[in-house]
């Protein structure tokens, strides 16, 4: 019995070993077969990061990150010294890829700077390593000057003007034929081209799902001719010259293989699972199947789930794909199906409206990250819209909207959601693109993945030929139908999105009538060549000033071109170097369009002859502050200088010294900046002689750059409070403070934080402020920060019995009387308090007592995207506001429901509170800006009105419940906008404006143009204020008058009125952040 059991165990062991050996042999046979097939089809076998590797990596590390710069550098240095660096153009990503390769190294060494197309163009052998990719070729060549350029298989022309459709993206001034193959005259015959078209027509007809007429029939011939004509109109001739029937057939077979790879893997797994020779042991079977599955997954990681018939049908629907480089198609599919990087997902969720330009999407794909579509989603998307595989701009045109509506079932509701989620990314895109992205979402693709796909693959969208109502409503000329070729050229030359094109046409509609060959192409090349700017700098200049594309660049014997004339002026007359001119143009692109005789030369002569500025200092002035060249000489610069001379008793030479030291002083506002600063210094420093004021300004002209309320006044308060802390009397402290500032005016030119740190340091060390602030001949490094002194301050304060923060909190208390002088009023600080005091105020609005009620609100506004040199002019913007009631924030959930009711009645677009981790949970409302022309100033003004409206609703709630006739109400609304505060600081004037019936009846007595007052926002604010102050509030639901208080006092105050401390600074930053988040939310939903 025992012997029989041993025999059975031995027999089972032999069966398992035999089964395992059979499985191993089967795996080897399968691998051999796959490698043979891959070698035949030239499919890469290079080991890269697959989806399986990514999952294993994610298990080891929850938050995967890209390799650091040090890791990349060490990886590059570890490459073989025999490796060569190459640059090729990736059509799939429209980027210039830099990679190291030892494949065909000897052949490459025998070539010149350019290498003809061969297998190394795909760099998929085991020794290849992608370094990085660039939008512009000049950036790649600048970083890798010894790299060899790889030519593509496409045919190019010697001059881009001859056929600008062949221009590659991001080439700059380098002709595209440098990276394209030369046309063989024998292959470029009409007969060869027709043969290629005929073969493409055969592919199209063979993939039709309906039965075809019998071969040789006239109907079949007619169908073929129709297809040939359609293909001839869709495909440029030069794309056919580099192909033959054999190459198209080879590409066709490879494409069918790629489109069916994932399905082949599943079928192979099924066959391996049903193989009888594997034996009966389930454990061994599962291991064998798992091993084969891993092998097949690795070999077929870039592929889709089409059946062979489905793949042929897709190619027949989109035959242009047979003319593409198969490797590019595989890269596109690989990126679509690789998992999305978590960091990229978060970024696209936070800023959905803005496309991200500078992400290296190609390297991201090579590292195993992509758009995150599943194989089924990608297969279904390409089956419905094969144009997702397009490698040329002209091939990206999607089917008609009727196709999406009837065949794919895209509903209007889904279209609206697509417009909401994709925002400005759809600006300038064809309407069919909206339908195609809506369809992607209908099959389960998340909007984050779609946004990433749009940013990474520029060719996935098509240009809209219609200018849009925003352009047509302008009086400037514009074509009713835009030239798609011109739009595509601008996209490639400047590496921009359709939304950027749309913004450029909004700003300069004449660009729609410019010709690429005659205007745009030679002008952009001339600007880049003659100004010696990079392609990226050219992109920034053109996006900020699109009108330069229409400049004249051809000089003749009789006349110099506009471009050459301005360059000659800046180089020869203004003594700027090319680097100086480039730096100035990046700040002020309009320099290229200023008139030399009426604008540029008179200002230059004024600076040199009137202000006696040496010509060697002119380049620094223009480079530092080029905006002054756009100011009016007679109406701005000269009156401004005359006022400075008169107020400060300075000579022209002194003004010249000031301008050379701080050139941007000439661009300051005389009424809003310079005059208030003079009045403040005269009042606080008791300067009766203009020469004393002039001495201070001449000694430290940067004082004029600082705001009175935000910088100068707090500094004097800190110095005086420090002197009081030393034991001086009020009178003595003021005189000592004046003496310190007069002897060392540069104190006022430093930042508040640095000055506070220096004062705290001197107090901690026991030094006298008067001695410590004496001017030094040698400058000192700014090594003291708040973090450095917090610990010693705590120790010192504990020894003397003073709480931490006591000195800092009181250092901003103003002991001076603020008076109105020369029509300029300073903030009334007699009611100043700290944020801590405001929070201590009880919110007694709902108490059934007749005590006075104080309501305090902070208001802030913002826009998105910000208007700066890096933002495209004409870009659509949105505004947002944030209002916080600190008393309700401290009260918590007690009055939360009442506050929500008040905000709902005040605003129609309230931002939902999805993320409150960094913001207070109660007493804060974020809303969108509902009016046209959003700007920072308009949003700040509307935020003040919004705070007033919420306060009104809170008072109406209370008036419904208790008698307010004996209650005094004091309302203080704080803003950090000097623009809003200057408009709203005088309550009496506001009430007078609000008493008018219509805006036409109001005489707005404000400094500057009336348009800057934004009366469409200012007048409704004054009407609300007038109703509240005069108890003209009506409950419309009950049609009765409400009394919201015996007296209602409303004041708009500047946030500088509050005593500055770390807490108020934190609240201000949080409120600005909340307003920006509201602007982003508004931007995304419009």
């Amino acid at each position: 019995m025992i012997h029989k059991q041993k025999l059975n165990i031995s027999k089972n062991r032999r069966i398992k070993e035999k089964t395992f050996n059979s499985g191993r042999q089967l795996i080897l046979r399968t691998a051999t077969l796959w490698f043979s097939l891959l070698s035949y089809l030239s499919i890469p076998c290079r080991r890269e990061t697959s989806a399986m590797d990514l999952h294993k990596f994610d298990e080891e590390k929850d938050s995967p990150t890209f390799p650091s710069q040090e890791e990349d550098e060490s990886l590059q240095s570890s490459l073989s010294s025999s490796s060569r660096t190459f640059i090729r153009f990736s059509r799939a990503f429209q980027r210039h890829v830099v990679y190291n390769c030892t494949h065909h190294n000897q052949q490459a060494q025998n070539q010149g700077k350019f290498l003809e197309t061969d297998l190394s163009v795909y760099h998929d052998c085991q020794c290849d390593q992608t370094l990085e990719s660039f939008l512009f070729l000049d950036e790649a060549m600048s970083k890798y000057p010894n790299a060899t350029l790889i030519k593509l298989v496409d045919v190019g022309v010697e001059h881009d003007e001859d056929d600008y459709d062949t221009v590659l993206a991001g080439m700059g001034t380098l002709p595209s034929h440098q990276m394209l193959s030369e046309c063989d005259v024998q292959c470029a015959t009409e007969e060869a081209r027709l043969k290629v078209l005929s073969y493409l027509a055969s592919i199209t007809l063979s993939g039709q799902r309906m039965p075809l007429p019998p071969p040789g029939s006239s109907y079949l011939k007619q169908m073929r001719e129709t297809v040939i004509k359609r293909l001839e109109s869709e495909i440029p001739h030069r794309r056919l010259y580099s192909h033959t029937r054999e190459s198209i057939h080879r590409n066709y077979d490879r494409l069918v293989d790629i489109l069916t790879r994932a399905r082949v893997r599943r079928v192979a797994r099924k066959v391996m699972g049903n193989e009888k020779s594997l034996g009966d042991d389930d454990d061994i079977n599962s291991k064998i199947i798992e091993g084969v599955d891993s092998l097949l997954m690795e070999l077929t990681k870039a592929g889709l789930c089409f059946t062979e018939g489905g793949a042929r049908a897709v190619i027949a629907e989109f035959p242009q794909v047979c003319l593409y480089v198969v490797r590019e198609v595989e890269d596109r599919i690989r990126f679509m199906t690789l998992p999305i990087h978590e960091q990229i997902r978060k970024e696209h969720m936070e800023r959905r409206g803005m496309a991200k330009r500078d992400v290296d999407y190609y390297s991201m794909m090579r590292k195993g990250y992509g758009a995150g579509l599943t194989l089924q989603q990608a297969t279904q998307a390409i089956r419905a819209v094969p144009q997702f595989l397009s490698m040329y701009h002209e091939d990206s045109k999607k089917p008609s909207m009727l196709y999406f509506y009837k065949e794919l079932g895209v509903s209007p509701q889904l279209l609206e959601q697509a417009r909401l989620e994709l925002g400005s990314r759809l600006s300038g895109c064809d309407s069919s693109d909206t339908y195609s992205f809506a369809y992607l979402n209908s099959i389960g693709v998340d909007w984050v993945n779609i946004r990433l796909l749009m940013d990474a693959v520029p060719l996935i969208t098509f240009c809209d030929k219609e200018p849009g109502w925003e352009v047509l409503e302008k009086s400037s000329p514009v074509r009713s139908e835009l030239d798609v070729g011109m739009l595509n050229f601008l996209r490639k030359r400047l590496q921009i999105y359709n939304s950027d094109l749309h913004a450029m046409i909004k700003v300069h509609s004449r660009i729609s009538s410019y010709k690429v060959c005659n205007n745009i192409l030679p002008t952009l090349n001339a600007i880049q060549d003659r100004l010696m700017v990079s392609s990226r700098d050219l992109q920034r200049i053109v996006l900020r000033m699109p009108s330069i594309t229409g400049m004249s660049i051809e000089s003749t014997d009789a006349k110099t071109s506009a471009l050459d004339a301005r360059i000659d002026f800046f180089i020869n007359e203004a003594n700027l170097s090319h680097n100086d001119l480039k730096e100035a143009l990046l700040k002020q692109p309009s320099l290229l369009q200023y008139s030399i005789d009426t604008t540029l030369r008179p200002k230059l002569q004024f600076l040199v002859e009137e202000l006696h500025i040496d010509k060697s200092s002119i380049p620094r002035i223009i480079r530092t502050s080029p905006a002054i060249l756009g100011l009016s000489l007679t109406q701005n610069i000269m009156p401004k200088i005359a006022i400075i001379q008169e107020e400060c008793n300075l000579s022209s030479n002194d003004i010249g010294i000031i301008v050379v030291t701080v050139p941007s002083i000439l661009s300051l506002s005389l009424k809003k900046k310079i005059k208030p600063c003079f009045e403040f210094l005269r009042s606080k420093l008791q300067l009766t002689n203009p020469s004393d004021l002039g001495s201070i300004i001449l000694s430290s002209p940067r004082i004029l750059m600082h705001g009175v309320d935000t910088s100068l006044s707090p500094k004097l308060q800190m110095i005086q409070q420090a002197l009081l802390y030393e034991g001086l009397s009020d009178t003595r402290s003021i005189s000592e403070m004046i003496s310190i500032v007069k002897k060392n005016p540069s104190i006022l030119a430093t930042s508040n934080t640095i000055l506070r740190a220096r004062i705290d340091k001197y107090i901690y060390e026991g030094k006298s402020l008067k001695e410590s602030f004496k001017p030094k001949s040698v400058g000192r490094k700014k090594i003291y920060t708040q973090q450095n002194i917090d610990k010693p301050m705590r120790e010192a304060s504990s020894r003397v019995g003073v709480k931490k923060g006591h000195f800092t909190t009181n250092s901003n208390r103003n002991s001076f009387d603020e008076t109105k002088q020369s029509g300029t009023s300073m903030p009334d600080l007699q009611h100043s308090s700290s944020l801590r005091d405001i929070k201590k105020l009880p919110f007694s609005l709902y108490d059934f007592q007749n005590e006075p009620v104080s309501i305090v609100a902070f208001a802030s506004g913002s826009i998105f995207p910000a208007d700066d040199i890096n933002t495209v002019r004409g870009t659509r913007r949105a505004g947002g506001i944030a209002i916080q009631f600190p008393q309700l924030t401290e009260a918590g959930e007690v009055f939360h429901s009442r506050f929500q009711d008040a905000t709902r009645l005040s605003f129609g677009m309230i931002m939902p509170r999805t993320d409150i981790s960094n913001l207070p949970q109660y007493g804060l409302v974020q809303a969108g800006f509902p009016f046209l022309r959003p700007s920072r100033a308009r949003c700040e003004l509307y935020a003040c009105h919004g705070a007033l409206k919420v306060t009104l609703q809170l008072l109406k709630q209370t008036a419904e419940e208790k008698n307010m006739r004996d209650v005094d109400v004091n309302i203080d609304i704080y803003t950090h906008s000097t623009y809003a505060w200057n408009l709203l600081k005088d309550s009496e004037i506001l009430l007078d404006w609000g008493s008018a019936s219509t805006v036409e009846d109001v005489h707005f007595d404000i400094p500057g143009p009336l348009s800057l007052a934004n009366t469409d926002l200012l007048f409704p604010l004054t009407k609300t204020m007038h109703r509240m102050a005069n108890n003209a509030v009506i409950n419309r639901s009950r049609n009765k008058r409400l009394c919201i208080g015996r007296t209602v006092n409303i004041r708009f105050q500047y946030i500088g009125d509050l005593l500055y401390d770390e807490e108020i600074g934190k609240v201000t930053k949080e409120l600005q952040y909340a307003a920006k988040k509201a602007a982003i939310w508004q931007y995304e939903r419009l």
Side-chain angles (χ1 to χ4, degrees):
M1 188 70 177
I2 297 176
H3 179 67
K4 187 175 181 179
Q5 291 179 352
K6 290 182 179 180
L7 290 176
N8 291 335
I9 294 174
S10 178
K11 182 179 180 180
N12 292 337
R13 185 180 300 165
R14 288 196 301 270
I15 292 175
K16 290 182 179 181
E17 290 176 355
K18 182 179 179 180
T19 304
F20 181 79
N21 291 333
S22 300
R24 184 173 58 181
Q25 292 176 4
L26 184 58
I27 293 175
L28 294 176
R29 288 199 304 269
T30 304
T32 304
L33 176 63
W34 273 100
F35 277 108
S36 301
L37 180 61
L38 296 176
S39 177
Y40 172 75
L41 295 178
S42 298
I43 298 175
C45 304
R46 181 176 178 271
R47 179 70 167 86
E48 287 191 3
T49 306
S50 65
M52 182 177 298
D53 296 329
L54 180 68
H55 295 322
K56 293 179 180 178
F57 177 72
D58 288 341
E59 292 177 359
E60 297 173 3
K61 189 174 182 179
D62 295 334
S63 56
T65 57
F66 292 118
S68 63
Q69 182 178 0
E70 293 76 9
E71 294 173 343
D72 283 340
E73 292 176 354
S74 63
L75 180 61
Q76 296 177 21
S77 62
S78 65
L79 294 172
S80 174
S81 59
S82 62
S83 65
R84 291 289 303 273
T85 304
F86 297 92
I87 301 176
R88 77 172 182 93
F89 180 71
S90 169
R91 288 196 180 273
F93 293 88
Q94 297 290 289
R95 299 180 69 91
H96 296 271
V97 182
V98 183
Y99 65 96
N100 275 334
C101 175
T102 58
H103 186 51
H104 294 271
N105 188 37
Q106 297 300 325
Q107 179 184 355
Q109 291 177 356
N110 297 328
Q111 301 289 336
K113 182 68 176 177
F114 300 92
L115 184 65
E116 296 296 336
T117 304
D118 56 19
L119 292 179
S120 65
V121 72
Y122 307 124
H123 64 94
D124 281 302
C125 56
Q126 293 183 359
C127 54
D128 290 351
Q129 175 62 45
T130 300
L131 301 179
E132 54 184 319
S133 68
F134 300 86
L135 280 176
F136 299 100
L137 179 60
D138 56 357
E139 292 179 343
M141 296 181 67
S142 175
K143 189 170 183 179
Y144 301 93
N146 298 322
T148 302
L149 302 183
I150 298 295
K151 288 192 174 184
L152 304 181
V153 296
D154 294 342
V155 174
V157 294
E158 185 175 357
H159 302 288
D160 290 340
E161 294 87 345
D162 297 337
D163 189 359
Y164 56 83
D165 289 332
T166 62
V167 172
L168 298 179
M171 289 293 292
T173 57
L174 188 68
S176 294
H177 79 88
Q178 298 282 11
M179 295 189 71
L180 296 174
S181 301
E182 298 179 0
C183 180
D184 190 349
V185 179
Q186 296 180 354
C187 297
T189 61
E190 184 69 13
E191 181 181 359
R193 186 181 65 84
L194 290 177
K195 285 183 178 180
V196 173
L197 285 174
S198 177
Y199 192 74
L200 288 176
S202 300
I203 293 176
T204 302
L205 294 174
S206 64
Q208 299 295 326
R209 299 184 183 276
M210 58 182 179
L212 296 175
S217 63
S218 60
Y219 185 55
L220 180 61
K221 183 178 180 181
Q222 184 179 0
M223 291 179 62
R224 182 187 298 273
E225 292 177 353
T226 303
V227 174
I228 290 176
K229 289 182 180 179
R230 178 175 65 84
L231 295 176
E232 194 172 13
S233 64
E234 294 177 353
I235 305 175
H237 293 181
R238 293 191 177 276
R239 284 169 54 186
L240 303 173
Y241 292 156
S242 58
H243 291 277
T244 61
R245 295 179 58 179
E246 291 75 14
S247 65
I248 293 177
H249 181 73
R250 184 168 58 251
N251 286 350
Y252 182 83
D253 290 340
R254 293 178 180 177
L255 289 169
V256 172
D257 172 71
I258 292 174
L259 295 177
T260 58
R261 281 182 182 178
R263 180 176 177 274
V264 169
R265 181 185 64 81
R266 292 205 306 265
V267 173
R269 183 184 180 192
K270 182 177 180 181
V271 172
M272 297 299 294
N274 294 334
E275 186 69 36
K276 294 182 179 180
S277 62
L278 292 180
D280 299 327
D281 195 308
D282 293 336
D283 294 336
I284 296 179
N285 289 345
S286 61
K287 291 181 180 179
I288 294 175
I289 294 173
E290 181 181 353
V292 174
D293 185 50
S294 300
L295 174 62
L296 295 178
M297 173 67 79
E298 178 65 22
L299 296 177
T300 63
K301 56 183 174 297
L304 298 177
C305 302
F306 283 96
T307 63
E308 186 173 344
R312 297 184 187 278
V314 168
I315 299 175
E317 183 71 22
F318 189 60
Q320 293 95 320
V321 73
C322 294
L323 304 177
Y324 299 162
V325 176
V326 179
R327 167 54 52 194
E328 300 282 6
V329 178
E330 193 171 11
D331 283 346
R332 177 73 58 81
I333 294 175
R334 179 185 288 113
F335 182 81
M336 292 175 68
T337 55
L338 283 172
I340 187 172
H341 192 278
E342 190 61 30
Q343 178 183 349
I344 298 295
R345 177 187 292 277
K346 292 179 179 179
E347 292 177 355
H348 279 74
M349 291 180 66
E350 291 179 357
R351 301 181 65 179
R352 298 185 294 183
M354 295 296 295
K356 299 185 177 300
R357 304 173 186 271
D358 297 327
V359 178
D360 190 349
Y361 294 105
Y362 184 88
S363 297
M364 186 172 73
M365 180 268 295
R366 301 289 289 189
K367 294 173 183 177
Y369 298 99
L373 278 70
T374 65
L375 289 174
Q376 290 74 21
Q377 289 172 346
T379 301
Q380 193 171 351
I382 293 175
R383 179 187 292 115
V385 189
Q387 288 77 13
F388 284 143
L389 296 177
S390 63
M391 299 294 164
Y392 296 85
H393 290 280
E394 56 268 21
D395 294 346
S396 301
K397 178 67 176 177
K398 313 295 189 303
S400 65
M401 295 180 288
L402 195 61
Y403 166 78
F404 287 97
Y405 181 72
K406 287 189 173 182
E407 300 294 332
L408 302 181
V410 177
S411 63
Q413 293 79 11
L414 198 56
L415 286 176
E416 290 300 322
Q417 187 179 0
R419 296 188 182 98
L420 175 64
E421 292 288 341
L422 301 180
S424 64
R425 285 182 171 86
L426 292 176
S427 299
C429 294
D430 191 77
S431 57
S432 60
D433 291 327
T434 308
Y435 280 83
S436 62
F437 297 133
Y439 171 73
L440 284 182
N441 183 254
S442 68
I443 62 176
V445 183
D446 190 81
W447 293 113
V448 175
N449 305 74
I450 297 175
R451 287 189 285 268
L452 174 58
L453 195 61
M454 294 178 67
D455 293 351
V457 185
L459 296 176
I460 206 171
T461 58
F462 190 76
C463 295
D464 189 4
K465 295 187 292 185
E466 298 181 2
W469 66 270
E470 294 176 301
V471 180
L472 293 175
E473 70 175 358
K474 294 185 176 181
S475 58
S476 54
V478 62
R479 292 182 56 173
S480 59
E481 183 174 327
L482 303 178
D483 182 9
V484 176
M486 180 269 295
L487 298 177
N488 288 335
F489 172 78
L490 286 174
R491 289 178 66 186
K492 293 186 290 186
R493 181 65 173 85
L494 300 175
Q495 286 285 41
I496 57 179
Y497 295 100
N498 288 331
S499 57
D500 301 327
L501 285 175
H502 183 67
M504 289 175 60
I505 296 175
K506 281 173 55 180
V507 174
H508 185 64
S509 60
R510 288 183 180 271
I511 199 174
S512 63
S513 60
Y514 292 164
K515 300 296 182 182
V516 174
C517 299
N518 300 332
N519 301 103
I520 300 177
L521 190 151
T523 301
L524 294 181
N525 287 346
I527 292 174
Q528 187 169 357
D529 272 335
R530 299 174 195 178
L531 295 177
M532 300 180 185
V533 296
S534 64
S535 297
R536 187 174 294 275
D537 292 338
L538 179 69
Q539 177 199 68
R540 294 176 58 187
I541 292 174
V542 174
L543 290 180
R544 291 296 299 177
M545 189 59 59
S547 55
I548 68 171
T549 55
M551 291 186 67
S552 64
I553 58 171
E554 297 295 336
S555 299
T556 61
D557 296 336
K559 184 179 180 181
T560 305
S561 67
L563 177 62
D564 290 334
R566 284 158 179 79
I567 294 176
D568 179 74
F569 171 81
F570 286 113
I571 297 297
N572 297 326
E573 295 190 38
N575 296 327
L576 270 73
S577 65
H578 280 90
N579 289 333
D580 294 336
L581 180 56
K582 179 176 68 174
E583 184 178 347
L585 285 174
L586 291 176
K587 295 179 180 178
Q588 192 81 5
S590 56
L591 290 178
L592 289 178
Q593 296 196 315
Y594 291 153
S595 171
I596 295 177
D597 296 329
T598 61
T599 302
L600 297 177
R601 187 173 287 120
K603 292 185 181 67
L604 180 61
Q605 293 174 351
F606 177 80
L607 294 176
V608 175
E609 297 175 3
E610 299 295 331
L611 301 185
H612 308 288
I613 297 176
D614 190 83
K615 282 191 174 182
S616 60
S617 301
I618 296 296
R620 181 182 180 276
I621 295 176
I622 298 177
R623 184 183 68 250
T624 305
S625 184
I628 63 176
L629 295 180
L631 302 176
S632 172
L633 182 60
T634 57
Q635 298 180 9
N636 191 308
I637 295 179
M638 295 177 67
K640 190 179 300 180
I641 290 177
I643 292 295
I644 296 176
Q645 285 183 297
E646 180 182 357
E647 298 282 346
C648 301
N649 194 21
L650 297 175
S651 65
S652 298
N653 291 336
D654 296 334
I655 298 296
I657 294 174
I658 292 175
V659 172
V660 171
T661 306
V662 188
S664 54
I665 283 179
L666 292 181
S667 61
L668 296 178
S669 171
L670 185 62
K671 294 182 179 180
K672 297 182 179 180
K673 200 77 171 180
I674 297 178
K675 280 188 174 181
C677 183
F678 287 165
E679 297 295 338
F680 177 82
L681 293 177
R682 269 197 296 263
S683 172
K684 300 310 170 195
L685 302 184
Q686 301 178 4
L687 304 175
T688 57
N689 190 347
S691 299
D692 295 337
L693 178 61
S695 176
I696 292 176
I697 298 299
L698 187 61
S699 175
S700 183
R702 295 185 185 277
I703 292 176
L704 294 176
M705 304 295 296
H706 292 253
V708 171
D709 305 299
T710 59
S711 180
L712 299 181
S713 181
K715 289 186 181 70
L716 296 185
Q717 295 169 23
M718 283 188 280
I719 296 174
Q720 186 197 359
Q721 287 298 322
L723 294 171
L724 291 174
Y725 189 80
E726 290 182 355
L728 301 181
S729 63
D730 291 344
T731 306
R732 182 63 177 167
S733 64
I734 294 176
S735 61
E736 288 294 336
M737 180 268 297
I738 294 174
S739 175
I740 289 174
V741 175
K742 283 184 177 180
K743 291 180 180 179
N744 189 6
S746 61
I747 295 174
L748 299 181
T750 188
S751 67
N752 292 4
T753 305
I754 292 176
L755 180 61
R756 185 181 295 111
R758 291 179 62 183
I759 292 176
D760 291 347
K761 171 180 174 290
Y762 297 150
I763 291 179
Y764 170 69
E765 294 177 352
K767 296 181 179 179
S768 169
L769 231 63
K770 184 177 181 180
E771 295 296 327
S772 301
F773 275 123
K774 283 185 177 181
K776 304 292 191 303
S777 58
V778 180
R780 296 186 301 256
K781 293 184 179 180
K782 303 173 182 179
I783 60 175
Y784 296 100
T785 62
Q786 189 65 35
Q787 288 78 10
N788 294 341
I789 63 173
D790 273 346
K791 184 175 180 180
M793 277 296 297
R794 284 194 297 268
E795 296 174 353
S797 58
S798 63
R799 287 196 297 267
V800 296
V802 180
K803 294 183 178 180
K804 169 70 172 66
H806 174 79
F807 169 73
T808 304
T809 301
N810 291 325
S811 64
N812 291 305
R813 188 173 304 278
N814 192 351
S815 61
F816 308 122
D817 294 332
E818 300 292 339
T819 59
K820 295 183 179 180
Q821 299 181 11
S822 303
T824 303
S825 62
M826 308 310 299
D828 183 8
L829 302 185
Q830 61 180 347
H831 301 289
S832 293
S833 57
S834 66
L835 180 63
R836 190 176 294 107
D837 297 331
I838 292 176
K839 290 182 176 180
K840 290 179 180 178
L841 288 176
F843 195 72
S844 58
L845 182 61
Y846 301 114
D847 296 342
F848 290 91
Q849 299 177 4
N850 294 330
E851 297 179 356
V853 174
S854 296
I855 301 177
V856 180
F858 292 85
S860 179
S862 181
I863 60 171
F864 180 83
D867 187 12
D868 53 31
I869 187 63
N870 297 316
T871 308
V872 183
R873 283 187 63 196
T875 298
R876 180 180 65 86
R877 290 182 171 83
I881 64 171
I883 303 167
Q884 183 181 357
F885 292 79
Q887 297 160 289
L888 294 177
T889 301
E890 292 296 312
E893 199 174 356
V894 179
F895 308 113
H896 185 56
S897 60
R898 291 175 177 264
F899 178 72
Q900 284 186 319
D901 294 338
T903 56
R904 279 195 295 266
L905 294 172
S906 303
F907 305 107
M909 296 180 293
I910 299 178
M911 176 181 172
R913 299 300 302 276
T914 56
D915 181 15
I916 58 174
S917 57
N918 298 325
L919 299 173
Q921 186 173 359
Y922 305 106
L924 175 70
V925 59
Q926 298 165 269
F929 182 76
F931 300 97
L932 298 176
R933 299 180 291 113
S935 65
R936 179 68 178 270
R938 288 172 60 83
C939 292
E940 294 281 6
L941 186 59
Y942 178 68
C944 294
H945 188 195
L948 196 61
K949 291 196 295 184
V950 175
T951 305
L952 174 59
Q953 295 300 328
L954 293 173
L955 291 172
K956 289 173 68 174
Q957 289 178 1
T958 308
E960 294 284 351
E961 300 177 1
K962 76 174 185 178
N963 186 3
M964 298 285 290
R965 295 184 182 276
D966 298 328
V967 178
D968 296 324
V969 180
N970 298 314
I971 302 171
D972 291 289
I973 298 176
Y974 288 87
T975 175
H976 61 83
S977 168
T978 55
Y979 164 81
W981 177 75
N982 283 324
L983 281 178
L984 307 176
K985 59 187 176 182
D986 196 326
S987 299
E988 294 181 2
I989 295 179
L990 295 180
L991 292 174
D992 180 60
W993 291 344
S995 62
S997 301
T998 62
V999 66
E1000 289 79 10
D1001 300 332
V1002 183
H1003 175 64
F1004 292 99
D1005 185 16
I1006 61 172
L1010 184 61
S1011 58
L1012 297 180
N1014 292 299
T1015 55
D1016 59 325
L1017 301 178
L1018 178 60
F1019 182 68
L1021 183 150
T1022 60
K1023 293 294 291 184
T1024 303
M1025 185 175 178
H1026 184 268
R1027 291 199 308 270
M1028 295 176 64
N1030 291 275
N1031 266 309
V1033 180
I1034 298 176
N1035 187 337
R1036 299 187 183 276
S1037 61
R1038 300 183 181 180
N1039 196 21
K1040 72 173 184 178
R1041 192 183 183 109
L1042 293 177
C1043 179
I1044 59 175
R1046 179 173 57 188
T1047 59
V1048 180
N1049 302 312
I1050 303 173
R1051 295 188 308 174
F1052 292 93
Q1053 301 197 58
Y1054 188 69
I1055 206 166
D1057 294 356
L1058 294 174
L1059 295 177
Y1060 187 86
D1061 56 15
E1062 293 182 1
E1063 188 176 5
I1064 189 62
K1066 179 182 177 181
V1067 170
T1068 303
K1069 291 181 179 179
E1070 287 180 351
L1071 200 62
Q1072 292 174 348
Y1073 171 77
K1076 184 177 180 181
K1077 294 287 288 184
I1080 296 175
W1081 171 78
Q1082 178 76 346
Y1083 181 89
E1084 295 167 354
R1085 66 184 298 272
L1086 293 180

